[in-house]
């Protein structure tokens, strides 16, 4: 099945629950090819991708990440009041997905660590790695997989870098687990376009900017 580009862009959800199905090397290669074709400032390509699968080293790194993810989720769950929601609410569904995600982190087939050699130490450095992350997620979607960009490695970044021999000068920009989704991709929910896109002046909605019929929004 081929997914049209625009459809893929608007239906690639954060996937945190995976089956145990493997990710084939061919598919992984295609995903990383898409990631490495992303634009970077001056085409410097100061990005590198460390892929963790099932080697003893990968298992060690996944265990380190798994404990960091569980601690981060525990703190977020309490801080953001996830436990106080109605069992059938969308937030409760996200809570359950997140719990399953962190509990089974070590079993996720592939974990990608996108790394960047920072140049300016500013926001603009991110612009030379996050387009590649999104390319990776879109390519995963096109091939029947799913993933999610996360930042929960940051508390163990130094240990992770030592373990995976990532040079000190590089930053690990994200942790991206990838696998076959247990749930489904589908239209993402965002705010109405009129609240996000202006013309000429801040807060002046662009009259021509329309959400397609049937678009669903965040609450
Ligand atoms: C910069 C950034 C950081 C994120 N960090 C995390 C994270 O640490 N843990 C996580 O589970 N999801 C993380 N996400 C995923 C978002 O929560 C998710 O994309 C968002 O809720 C929208 O969900 P949707 O894409 O399924 O519509 C992150 C996404 C972005 C873009």
């Amino acid at each position: 099945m081929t997914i049209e580009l625009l459809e893929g862009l608007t239906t690639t959800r954060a996937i945190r629950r995976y089956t145990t199905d493997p990710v084939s090397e061919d598919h992984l290669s295609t995903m990383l090819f898409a990631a490495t074709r992303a634009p970077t400032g001056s085409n410097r390509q100061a990005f590198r991708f460390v892929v963790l699968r099932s080697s003893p080293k990968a298992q060690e790194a996944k265990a380190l990440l798994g404990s960091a993810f569980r601690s981060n989720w525990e703190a977020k769950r309490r801080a953001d009041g996830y436990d106080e929601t109605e069992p059938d609410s969308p937030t409760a569904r996200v809570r359950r997905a997140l719990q399953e995600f962190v509990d089974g982190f070590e079993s996720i087939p592939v974990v990608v660590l996108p790394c960047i050699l920072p140049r300016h130490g500013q926001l603009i450095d991110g612009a030379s790695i996050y387009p590649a992350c999104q390319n990776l997620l879109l390519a995963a979607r096109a091939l029947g997989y799913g993933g999610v960009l996360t930042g929960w490695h940051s508390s163990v970044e130094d240990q992770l870098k030592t373990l995976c021999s990532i040079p000190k000068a590089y930053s690990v920009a994200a942790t991206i687990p990838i696998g076959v989704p247990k749930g489904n991709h589908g239209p993402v929910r965002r705010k109405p376009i009129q609240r996000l896109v202006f013309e000429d002046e801040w807060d002046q909605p662009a009259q021509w900017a329309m959400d397609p019929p049937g678009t669903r929004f965040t609450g």
Side-chain angles (χ1 to χ4, degrees), residues 14-18 94 97-98 100-102 108 147-150:
I15 299 290
R16 301 186 180 90
R17 294 165 60 246
Y18 313 96
V94 173
L98 273 158
E100 188 176 331
F101 174 48
V102 300
I108 299 170
V148 57
L149 186 143
T150 75

Side-chain angles (χ1 to χ4, degrees), residues 62-82:
K62 283 182 182 178
L64 177 66
L65 286 163
S67 64
F69 272 56
R70 286 184 281 278
S71 313
N72 275 287
W73 162 236
E74 185 65 28
K76 185 176 170 63
R77 207 182 80 197
R78 286 214 220 104
D80 293 357
Y82 272 91

Side-chain angles (χ1 to χ4, degrees), residues 43-158:
N43 206 13
R44 283 176 65 237
Q45 301 160 74
F47 49 29
R48 301 290 183 271
F49 301 84
V50 178
V51 179
L52 305 171
R53 295 195 293 158
S54 55
S55 70
K57 175 76 78 182
Q59 285 173 25
E60 213 182 319
K62 283 182 182 178
L64 177 66
L65 286 163
S67 64
F69 272 56
R70 286 184 281 278
S71 313
N72 275 287
W73 162 236
E74 185 65 28
K76 185 176 170 63
R77 207 182 80 197
R78 286 214 220 104
D80 293 357
Y82 272 91
D83 293 331
E84 287 125 46
T85 49
E86 291 297 318
D88 283 340
S89 64
T91 311
R93 279 197 291 279
V94 173
R95 182 188 71 214
R96 286 192 289 274
L98 273 158
Q99 192 65 52
E100 188 176 331
F101 174 48
V102 300
D103 285 348
F105 189 87
E106 285 83 346
S107 324
I108 299 170
V110 173
V111 173
V112 178
L113 303 175
C115 304
I116 180 80
L117 181 63
R119 193 180 199 191
H120 307 285
Q122 292 169 354
L123 192 61
I124 200 72
D125 286 323
S128 283
I129 184 68
Y130 295 119
C133 296
Q134 188 62 9
N135 269 14
L136 179 72
L137 290 167
L138 290 169
R141 160 100 176 92
L143 295 167
Y145 301 95
V148 57
L149 186 143
T150 75
W152 285 342
H153 62 281
S154 55
S155 55
V156 292
E157 184 176 347
D158 288 346

